[in-house]
Amino acid sequence: MPAADKLPPLRDVIAAHDLAPKKSLGQNFLFDLNLTAKIARAAGAAEGGTFYEVGPGPGGLTRALLGEGADKVIAVERDARCLPALEEIAAAYPGRLQIISDDALELDEAGILPRGSRIAANLPYNVGTAILIKWLTAESWPPVWASLTLMFQKEVAQRITARPGTEHYGRLSVLAQWRCTAKLLFDVNRGAFVPPPSVTSSIVRLEPRAQPLAPCALADLEKITAASFGQRRKMLRQSLKALGGEALAEKAGIDPTARPEDLTIEQFAALARAL
Ligand code: SAM
């Protein structure tokens, strides 16, 4: 059973604060307390510590994180309409919820979060990938956060966690798994949301590697994966033509006739080093 708090049910919170969901802000709210508790547990709330939540909205996941044992939640919400509802949660959990009214894409988490904080979020679909890429491309590594437990559209979750040689393997898989371990934990049916989105969602957990999987410069890795997966059906000697083609592949010790979807992350890093 999820931990109970004395706050009103989320449906009443939405009605009391007139929080009609806005599509432009990717607002699909979760009301199911068993589900929010399951996500909070997957994020490690029971172990305590500080959590960073992007897009708390009316506060379903926020309440679950606090109820399941987080010592502190720092939550950044762009929609000012949600702030009064979040203030009520802060009052129910004194000193444990810090609310930041801002755009998460603009914030520098390193200046806000204590090292070792964990990130948990039901991300807005329209900016979820951009926020993840922002976290994965941080200049200094390992980052300030110790784990990411995030909700995405299932198709994005599959791309983040895909292994070489599979359909969803691409730029996002290489970037994510070069710096993190990535695991798809469970799916969330579209009917769990208000309003229901058009597709199934999934929870993904990423943990930063102490060192990237293989040495290379991030900018070079991005150049290589952009060129390779830009023409994913072509052989490397063709797709990497502008970057050195066959000679580059050979310098990296990779068969120039290989296709990008079959290359391991270590092989992409070797191509980036050869560049
Ligand atoms: N956490 C709530 C839940 O699980 O029910 C709401 C999740 S809803 C999918 C996404 C939330 O992110 C909305 O509350 C939306 O206002 C907020 N949001 C959208 N873009 C944002 C941004 N750039 N920065 C911070 N919050 C944002």
Side-chain angles (χ1 to χ4, degrees), residues 224 227-229 231 233-242 244-246 248-249 254-261 263 267-268 271:
I224 292 288
S228 306
F229 289 107
Q231 302 183 60
R233 304 270 161 245
K234 298 245 166 79
M235 294 177 190
L236 290 177
R237 67 176 176 212
Q238 176 63 31
S239 55
L240 295 181
K241 209 166 197 169
E246 193 153 343
L248 181 83
I254 292 163
D255 177 359
T257 65
R259 289 175 210 277
E261 62 209 27
L263 257 52
Q267 288 177 311
F268 278 112
L271 284 165

PDB file of all heavy atoms in Angstrom, residues 224 227-229 231 233-242 244-246 248-249 254-261 263 267-268 271:
ATOM      1  N   ILE A 224      30.264  11.567 -35.234  1.00  0.00           N
ATOM      2  CA  ILE A 224      30.284  10.224 -35.838  1.00  0.00           C
ATOM      3  C   ILE A 224      28.874   9.607 -35.834  1.00  0.00           C
ATOM      4  O   ILE A 224      28.429   9.065 -36.849  1.00  0.00           O
ATOM      5  CB  ILE A 224      31.264   9.301 -35.063  1.00  0.00           C
ATOM      6  CG1 ILE A 224      32.709   9.746 -35.264  1.00  0.00           C
ATOM      7  CG2 ILE A 224      31.075   7.843 -35.442  1.00  0.00           C
ATOM      8  CD1 ILE A 224      33.281   9.477 -36.637  1.00  0.00           C
ATOM      9  N   ALA A 227      26.492  11.346 -38.374  1.00  0.00           N
ATOM     10  CA  ALA A 227      26.748  10.960 -39.765  1.00  0.00           C
ATOM     11  C   ALA A 227      26.341   9.499 -39.999  1.00  0.00           C
ATOM     12  O   ALA A 227      25.697   9.178 -41.001  1.00  0.00           O
ATOM     13  CB  ALA A 227      28.223  11.153 -40.086  1.00  0.00           C
ATOM     14  N   SER A 228      26.683   8.615 -39.051  1.00  0.00           N
ATOM     15  CA  SER A 228      26.409   7.180 -39.244  1.00  0.00           C
ATOM     16  C   SER A 228      24.910   6.904 -39.300  1.00  0.00           C
ATOM     17  O   SER A 228      24.410   6.281 -40.239  1.00  0.00           O
ATOM     18  CB  SER A 228      26.991   6.357 -38.091  1.00  0.00           C
ATOM     19  OG  SER A 228      28.346   6.629 -37.924  1.00  0.00           O
ATOM     20  N   PHE A 229      24.184   7.390 -38.284  1.00  0.00           N
ATOM     21  CA  PHE A 229      22.758   7.056 -38.222  1.00  0.00           C
ATOM     22  C   PHE A 229      21.917   7.964 -39.118  1.00  0.00           C
ATOM     23  O   PHE A 229      20.738   7.697 -39.344  1.00  0.00           O
ATOM     24  CB  PHE A 229      22.258   7.086 -36.773  1.00  0.00           C
ATOM     25  CG  PHE A 229      22.784   5.930 -35.961  1.00  0.00           C
ATOM     26  CD1 PHE A 229      23.762   6.109 -35.001  1.00  0.00           C
ATOM     27  CD2 PHE A 229      22.296   4.650 -36.171  1.00  0.00           C
ATOM     28  CE1 PHE A 229      24.252   5.046 -34.265  1.00  0.00           C
ATOM     29  CE2 PHE A 229      22.782   3.557 -35.439  1.00  0.00           C
ATOM     30  CZ  PHE A 229      23.765   3.760 -34.475  1.00  0.00           C
ATOM     31  N   GLN A 231      22.362   8.000 -42.101  1.00  0.00           N
ATOM     32  CA  GLN A 231      22.118   7.087 -43.246  1.00  0.00           C
ATOM     33  C   GLN A 231      22.275   5.663 -42.716  1.00  0.00           C
ATOM     34  O   GLN A 231      23.236   4.988 -43.055  1.00  0.00           O
ATOM     35  CB  GLN A 231      23.147   7.346 -44.341  1.00  0.00           C
ATOM     36  CG  GLN A 231      23.137   8.776 -44.847  1.00  0.00           C
ATOM     37  CD  GLN A 231      24.139   8.954 -45.991  1.00  0.00           C
ATOM     38  OE1 GLN A 231      24.055   8.309 -47.039  1.00  0.00           O
ATOM     39  NE2 GLN A 231      25.096   9.825 -45.775  1.00  0.00           N
ATOM     40  N   ARG A 233      21.042   2.785 -43.150  1.00  0.00           N
ATOM     41  CA  ARG A 233      21.065   1.566 -43.986  1.00  0.00           C
ATOM     42  C   ARG A 233      22.378   1.462 -44.777  1.00  0.00           C
ATOM     43  O   ARG A 233      22.644   0.443 -45.397  1.00  0.00           O
ATOM     44  CB  ARG A 233      19.886   1.541 -44.957  1.00  0.00           C
ATOM     45  CG  ARG A 233      18.535   1.650 -44.301  1.00  0.00           C
ATOM     46  CD  ARG A 233      17.949   0.289 -43.925  1.00  0.00           C
ATOM     47  NE  ARG A 233      16.912   0.462 -42.923  1.00  0.00           N
ATOM     48  CZ  ARG A 233      16.983   0.006 -41.680  1.00  0.00           C
ATOM     49  NH1 ARG A 233      18.027  -0.682 -41.268  1.00  0.00           N
ATOM     50  NH2 ARG A 233      16.008   0.211 -40.823  1.00  0.00           N
ATOM     51  N   LYS A 234      23.147   2.552 -44.805  1.00  0.00           N
ATOM     52  CA  LYS A 234      24.365   2.551 -45.634  1.00  0.00           C
ATOM     53  C   LYS A 234      25.567   1.986 -44.870  1.00  0.00           C
ATOM     54  O   LYS A 234      25.618   2.019 -43.641  1.00  0.00           O
ATOM     55  CB  LYS A 234      24.683   3.984 -46.055  1.00  0.00           C
ATOM     56  CG  LYS A 234      23.597   4.637 -46.898  1.00  0.00           C
ATOM     57  CD  LYS A 234      24.099   4.925 -48.306  1.00  0.00           C
ATOM     58  CE  LYS A 234      22.975   5.248 -49.254  1.00  0.00           C
ATOM     59  NZ  LYS A 234      22.510   6.614 -49.107  1.00  0.00           N
ATOM     60  N   MET A 235      26.553   1.531 -45.640  1.00  0.00           N
ATOM     61  CA  MET A 235      27.808   1.075 -45.020  1.00  0.00           C
ATOM     62  C   MET A 235      28.579   2.296 -44.513  1.00  0.00           C
ATOM     63  O   MET A 235      28.440   3.394 -45.047  1.00  0.00           O
ATOM     64  CB  MET A 235      28.665   0.345 -46.055  1.00  0.00           C
ATOM     65  CG  MET A 235      28.053  -0.948 -46.539  1.00  0.00           C
ATOM     66  SD  MET A 235      29.117  -1.653 -47.803  1.00  0.00           S
ATOM     67  CE  MET A 235      28.059  -2.948 -48.417  1.00  0.00           C
ATOM     68  N   LEU A 236      29.445   2.065 -43.510  1.00  0.00           N
ATOM     69  CA  LEU A 236      30.190   3.177 -42.904  1.00  0.00           C
ATOM     70  C   LEU A 236      31.011   3.956 -43.932  1.00  0.00           C
ATOM     71  O   LEU A 236      31.110   5.179 -43.868  1.00  0.00           O
ATOM     72  CB  LEU A 236      31.134   2.650 -41.814  1.00  0.00           C
ATOM     73  CG  LEU A 236      30.469   2.121 -40.552  1.00  0.00           C
ATOM     74  CD1 LEU A 236      31.546   1.567 -39.624  1.00  0.00           C
ATOM     75  CD2 LEU A 236      29.693   3.217 -39.839  1.00  0.00           C
ATOM     76  N   ARG A 237      31.605   3.248 -44.879  1.00  0.00           N
ATOM     77  CA  ARG A 237      32.483   3.941 -45.846  1.00  0.00           C
ATOM     78  C   ARG A 237      31.695   5.003 -46.622  1.00  0.00           C
ATOM     79  O   ARG A 237      32.258   5.991 -47.065  1.00  0.00           O
ATOM     80  CB  ARG A 237      33.163   2.945 -46.787  1.00  0.00           C
ATOM     81  CG  ARG A 237      32.236   2.223 -47.723  1.00  0.00           C
ATOM     82  CD  ARG A 237      33.026   1.327 -48.668  1.00  0.00           C
ATOM     83  NE  ARG A 237      32.096   0.581 -49.494  1.00  0.00           N
ATOM     84  CZ  ARG A 237      32.320  -0.636 -49.951  1.00  0.00           C
ATOM     85  NH1 ARG A 237      33.453  -1.251 -49.687  1.00  0.00           N
ATOM     86  NH2 ARG A 237      31.425  -1.241 -50.700  1.00  0.00           N
ATOM     87  N   GLN A 238      30.380   4.763 -46.757  1.00  0.00           N
ATOM     88  CA  GLN A 238      29.524   5.728 -47.447  1.00  0.00           C
ATOM     89  C   GLN A 238      29.017   6.815 -46.482  1.00  0.00           C
ATOM     90  O   GLN A 238      29.163   8.008 -46.721  1.00  0.00           O
ATOM     91  CB  GLN A 238      28.329   4.976 -48.083  1.00  0.00           C
ATOM     92  CG  GLN A 238      27.306   5.862 -48.757  1.00  0.00           C
ATOM     93  CD  GLN A 238      27.904   6.623 -49.941  1.00  0.00           C
ATOM     94  OE1 GLN A 238      28.832   6.118 -50.605  1.00  0.00           O
ATOM     95  NE2 GLN A 238      27.433   7.844 -50.179  1.00  0.00           N
ATOM     96  N   SER A 239      28.439   6.389 -45.352  1.00  0.00           N
ATOM     97  CA  SER A 239      27.827   7.376 -44.448  1.00  0.00           C
ATOM     98  C   SER A 239      28.876   8.284 -43.803  1.00  0.00           C
ATOM     99  O   SER A 239      28.584   9.422 -43.450  1.00  0.00           O
ATOM    100  CB  SER A 239      26.975   6.684 -43.384  1.00  0.00           C
ATOM    101  OG  SER A 239      27.735   5.738 -42.686  1.00  0.00           O
ATOM    102  N   LEU A 240      30.106   7.783 -43.657  1.00  0.00           N
ATOM    103  CA  LEU A 240      31.153   8.609 -43.017  1.00  0.00           C
ATOM    104  C   LEU A 240      32.068   9.282 -44.047  1.00  0.00           C
ATOM    105  O   LEU A 240      33.143   9.767 -43.699  1.00  0.00           O
ATOM    106  CB  LEU A 240      31.999   7.742 -42.069  1.00  0.00           C
ATOM    107  CG  LEU A 240      31.277   7.158 -40.846  1.00  0.00           C
ATOM    108  CD1 LEU A 240      32.242   6.338 -39.991  1.00  0.00           C
ATOM    109  CD2 LEU A 240      30.650   8.261 -39.995  1.00  0.00           C
ATOM    110  N   LYS A 241      31.638   9.300 -45.307  1.00  0.00           N
ATOM    111  CA  LYS A 241      32.476   9.806 -46.406  1.00  0.00           C
ATOM    112  C   LYS A 241      33.053  11.192 -46.085  1.00  0.00           C
ATOM    113  O   LYS A 241      34.250  11.425 -46.213  1.00  0.00           O
ATOM    114  CB  LYS A 241      31.648   9.865 -47.691  1.00  0.00           C
ATOM    115  CG  LYS A 241      32.475   9.695 -48.920  1.00  0.00           C
ATOM    116  CD  LYS A 241      31.599   9.414 -50.119  1.00  0.00           C
ATOM    117  CE  LYS A 241      32.476   8.849 -51.228  1.00  0.00           C
ATOM    118  NZ  LYS A 241      31.701   8.318 -52.315  1.00  0.00           N
ATOM    119  N   ALA A 242      32.187  12.096 -45.605  1.00  0.00           N
ATOM    120  CA  ALA A 242      32.632  13.472 -45.351  1.00  0.00           C
ATOM    121  C   ALA A 242      33.626  13.550 -44.193  1.00  0.00           C
ATOM    122  O   ALA A 242      34.341  14.544 -44.043  1.00  0.00           O
ATOM    123  CB  ALA A 242      31.423  14.357 -45.067  1.00  0.00           C
ATOM    124  N   GLY A 244      35.948  11.095 -43.599  1.00  0.00           N
ATOM    125  CA  GLY A 244      37.150  10.279 -43.861  1.00  0.00           C
ATOM    126  C   GLY A 244      36.817   8.901 -44.416  1.00  0.00           C
ATOM    127  O   GLY A 244      37.709   8.186 -44.863  1.00  0.00           O
ATOM    128  N   GLY A 245      35.563   8.501 -44.384  1.00  0.00           N
ATOM    129  CA  GLY A 245      35.080   7.258 -45.009  1.00  0.00           C
ATOM    130  C   GLY A 245      35.901   6.032 -44.661  1.00  0.00           C
ATOM    131  O   GLY A 245      36.173   5.744 -43.495  1.00  0.00           O
ATOM    132  N   GLU A 246      36.315   5.336 -45.732  1.00  0.00           N
ATOM    133  CA  GLU A 246      37.009   4.056 -45.581  1.00  0.00           C
ATOM    134  C   GLU A 246      38.293   4.200 -44.738  1.00  0.00           C
ATOM    135  O   GLU A 246      38.568   3.392 -43.847  1.00  0.00           O
ATOM    136  CB  GLU A 246      37.361   3.532 -46.977  1.00  0.00           C
ATOM    137  CG  GLU A 246      37.799   2.110 -46.969  1.00  0.00           C
ATOM    138  CD  GLU A 246      37.515   1.413 -48.304  1.00  0.00           C
ATOM    139  OE1 GLU A 246      36.720   1.909 -49.120  1.00  0.00           O
ATOM    140  OE2 GLU A 246      38.113   0.339 -48.490  1.00  0.00           O
ATOM    141  N   LEU A 248      39.050   6.378 -42.461  1.00  0.00           N
ATOM    142  CA  LEU A 248      38.731   6.610 -41.048  1.00  0.00           C
ATOM    143  C   LEU A 248      38.356   5.292 -40.365  1.00  0.00           C
ATOM    144  O   LEU A 248      38.842   4.973 -39.275  1.00  0.00           O
ATOM    145  CB  LEU A 248      37.577   7.617 -40.904  1.00  0.00           C
ATOM    146  CG  LEU A 248      37.206   7.936 -39.465  1.00  0.00           C
ATOM    147  CD1 LEU A 248      38.124   9.002 -38.891  1.00  0.00           C
ATOM    148  CD2 LEU A 248      35.758   8.395 -39.347  1.00  0.00           C
ATOM    149  N   ALA A 249      37.506   4.515 -41.030  1.00  0.00           N
ATOM    150  CA  ALA A 249      37.076   3.232 -40.457  1.00  0.00           C
ATOM    151  C   ALA A 249      38.286   2.329 -40.252  1.00  0.00           C
ATOM    152  O   ALA A 249      38.431   1.706 -39.188  1.00  0.00           O
ATOM    153  CB  ALA A 249      36.042   2.579 -41.360  1.00  0.00           C
ATOM    154  N   ILE A 254      37.950  -0.782 -37.887  1.00  0.00           N
ATOM    155  CA  ILE A 254      36.567  -1.244 -38.104  1.00  0.00           C
ATOM    156  C   ILE A 254      36.333  -1.492 -39.594  1.00  0.00           C
ATOM    157  O   ILE A 254      36.806  -0.718 -40.448  1.00  0.00           O
ATOM    158  CB  ILE A 254      35.585  -0.189 -37.542  1.00  0.00           C
ATOM    159  CG1 ILE A 254      35.725  -0.182 -36.015  1.00  0.00           C
ATOM    160  CG2 ILE A 254      34.133  -0.484 -37.934  1.00  0.00           C
ATOM    161  CD1 ILE A 254      35.155   1.012 -35.359  1.00  0.00           C
ATOM    162  N   ASP A 255      35.604  -2.558 -39.876  1.00  0.00           N
ATOM    163  CA  ASP A 255      35.304  -2.921 -41.263  1.00  0.00           C
ATOM    164  C   ASP A 255      34.484  -1.797 -41.921  1.00  0.00           C
ATOM    165  O   ASP A 255      33.373  -1.507 -41.473  1.00  0.00           O
ATOM    166  CB  ASP A 255      34.495  -4.241 -41.217  1.00  0.00           C
ATOM    167  CG  ASP A 255      34.051  -4.697 -42.591  1.00  0.00           C
ATOM    168  OD1 ASP A 255      34.352  -3.984 -43.583  1.00  0.00           O
ATOM    169  OD2 ASP A 255      33.381  -5.747 -42.661  1.00  0.00           O
ATOM    170  N   PRO A 256      35.006  -1.177 -42.986  1.00  0.00           N
ATOM    171  CA  PRO A 256      34.287  -0.060 -43.628  1.00  0.00           C
ATOM    172  C   PRO A 256      32.953  -0.466 -44.250  1.00  0.00           C
ATOM    173  O   PRO A 256      32.134   0.393 -44.562  1.00  0.00           O
ATOM    174  CB  PRO A 256      35.245   0.435 -44.710  1.00  0.00           C
ATOM    175  CG  PRO A 256      36.519  -0.313 -44.538  1.00  0.00           C
ATOM    176  CD  PRO A 256      36.287  -1.475 -43.636  1.00  0.00           C
ATOM    177  N   THR A 257      32.736  -1.783 -44.404  1.00  0.00           N
ATOM    178  CA  THR A 257      31.456  -2.203 -44.989  1.00  0.00           C
ATOM    179  C   THR A 257      30.407  -2.498 -43.902  1.00  0.00           C
ATOM    180  O   THR A 257      29.289  -2.883 -44.195  1.00  0.00           O
ATOM    181  CB  THR A 257      31.617  -3.467 -45.869  1.00  0.00           C
ATOM    182  OG1 THR A 257      32.022  -4.554 -45.013  1.00  0.00           O
ATOM    183  CG2 THR A 257      32.649  -3.276 -46.960  1.00  0.00           C
ATOM    184  N   ALA A 258      30.791  -2.296 -42.619  1.00  0.00           N
ATOM    185  CA  ALA A 258      29.822  -2.536 -41.530  1.00  0.00           C
ATOM    186  C   ALA A 258      28.724  -1.468 -41.581  1.00  0.00           C
ATOM    187  O   ALA A 258      28.906  -0.381 -42.135  1.00  0.00           O
ATOM    188  CB  ALA A 258      30.545  -2.478 -40.191  1.00  0.00           C
ATOM    189  N   ARG A 259      27.558  -1.802 -40.993  1.00  0.00           N
ATOM    190  CA  ARG A 259      26.466  -0.833 -40.912  1.00  0.00           C
ATOM    191  C   ARG A 259      26.370  -0.314 -39.482  1.00  0.00           C
ATOM    192  O   ARG A 259      26.667  -1.057 -38.533  1.00  0.00           O
ATOM    193  CB  ARG A 259      25.149  -1.484 -41.348  1.00  0.00           C
ATOM    194  CG  ARG A 259      25.140  -1.742 -42.836  1.00  0.00           C
ATOM    195  CD  ARG A 259      23.909  -2.496 -43.302  1.00  0.00           C
ATOM    196  NE  ARG A 259      24.241  -3.307 -44.475  1.00  0.00           N
ATOM    197  CZ  ARG A 259      24.277  -2.850 -45.727  1.00  0.00           C
ATOM    198  NH1 ARG A 259      23.997  -1.594 -45.972  1.00  0.00           N
ATOM    199  NH2 ARG A 259      24.591  -3.651 -46.716  1.00  0.00           N
ATOM    200  N   PRO A 260      25.976   0.964 -39.328  1.00  0.00           N
ATOM    201  CA  PRO A 260      26.034   1.590 -38.001  1.00  0.00           C
ATOM    202  C   PRO A 260      25.268   0.825 -36.929  1.00  0.00           C
ATOM    203  O   PRO A 260      25.718   0.764 -35.785  1.00  0.00           O
ATOM    204  CB  PRO A 260      25.428   2.983 -38.228  1.00  0.00           C
ATOM    205  CG  PRO A 260      24.785   2.947 -39.561  1.00  0.00           C
ATOM    206  CD  PRO A 260      25.477   1.891 -40.352  1.00  0.00           C
ATOM    207  N   GLU A 261      24.138   0.220 -37.298  1.00  0.00           N
ATOM    208  CA  GLU A 261      23.322  -0.427 -36.252  1.00  0.00           C
ATOM    209  C   GLU A 261      24.010  -1.657 -35.639  1.00  0.00           C
ATOM    210  O   GLU A 261      23.587  -2.140 -34.606  1.00  0.00           O
ATOM    211  CB  GLU A 261      21.937  -0.791 -36.793  1.00  0.00           C
ATOM    212  CG  GLU A 261      21.964  -1.771 -37.925  1.00  0.00           C
ATOM    213  CD  GLU A 261      20.783  -1.589 -38.881  1.00  0.00           C
ATOM    214  OE1 GLU A 261      20.269  -0.467 -38.984  1.00  0.00           O
ATOM    215  OE2 GLU A 261      20.408  -2.586 -39.507  1.00  0.00           O
ATOM    216  N   LEU A 263      27.370  -1.669 -34.907  1.00  0.00           N
ATOM    217  CA  LEU A 263      28.585  -1.262 -34.184  1.00  0.00           C
ATOM    218  C   LEU A 263      28.321  -1.145 -32.686  1.00  0.00           C
ATOM    219  O   LEU A 263      27.269  -0.650 -32.271  1.00  0.00           O
ATOM    220  CB  LEU A 263      29.038   0.114 -34.697  1.00  0.00           C
ATOM    221  CG  LEU A 263      30.228   0.125 -35.643  1.00  0.00           C
ATOM    222  CD1 LEU A 263      30.030  -0.827 -36.801  1.00  0.00           C
ATOM    223  CD2 LEU A 263      30.470   1.539 -36.144  1.00  0.00           C
ATOM    224  N   GLN A 267      33.121   0.683 -30.448  1.00  0.00           N
ATOM    225  CA  GLN A 267      33.544   0.915 -31.839  1.00  0.00           C
ATOM    226  C   GLN A 267      33.232   2.347 -32.294  1.00  0.00           C
ATOM    227  O   GLN A 267      34.018   2.960 -32.998  1.00  0.00           O
ATOM    228  CB  GLN A 267      32.887  -0.120 -32.772  1.00  0.00           C
ATOM    229  CG  GLN A 267      33.500  -1.505 -32.592  1.00  0.00           C
ATOM    230  CD  GLN A 267      32.818  -2.559 -33.448  1.00  0.00           C
ATOM    231  OE1 GLN A 267      31.578  -2.666 -33.468  1.00  0.00           O
ATOM    232  NE2 GLN A 267      33.605  -3.342 -34.154  1.00  0.00           N
ATOM    233  N   PHE A 268      32.080   2.873 -31.865  1.00  0.00           N
ATOM    234  CA  PHE A 268      31.798   4.290 -32.177  1.00  0.00           C
ATOM    235  C   PHE A 268      32.853   5.192 -31.518  1.00  0.00           C
ATOM    236  O   PHE A 268      33.306   6.165 -32.113  1.00  0.00           O
ATOM    237  CB  PHE A 268      30.396   4.684 -31.711  1.00  0.00           C
ATOM    238  CG  PHE A 268      29.322   4.289 -32.687  1.00  0.00           C
ATOM    239  CD1 PHE A 268      28.403   3.303 -32.366  1.00  0.00           C
ATOM    240  CD2 PHE A 268      29.240   4.905 -33.936  1.00  0.00           C
ATOM    241  CE1 PHE A 268      27.424   2.929 -33.275  1.00  0.00           C
ATOM    242  CE2 PHE A 268      28.258   4.533 -34.849  1.00  0.00           C
ATOM    243  CZ  PHE A 268      27.347   3.536 -34.516  1.00  0.00           C
ATOM    244  N   LEU A 271      35.955   5.177 -33.559  1.00  0.00           N
ATOM    245  CA  LEU A 271      35.823   6.049 -34.738  1.00  0.00           C
ATOM    246  C   LEU A 271      35.986   7.513 -34.324  1.00  0.00           C
ATOM    247  O   LEU A 271      36.635   8.298 -35.025  1.00  0.00           O
ATOM    248  CB  LEU A 271      34.439   5.845 -35.388  1.00  0.00           C
ATOM    249  CG  LEU A 271      34.270   4.563 -36.206  1.00  0.00           C
ATOM    250  CD1 LEU A 271      32.794   4.284 -36.487  1.00  0.00           C
ATOM    251  CD2 LEU A 271      35.045   4.662 -37.525  1.00  0.00           C
TER     252      LEU A 271
END
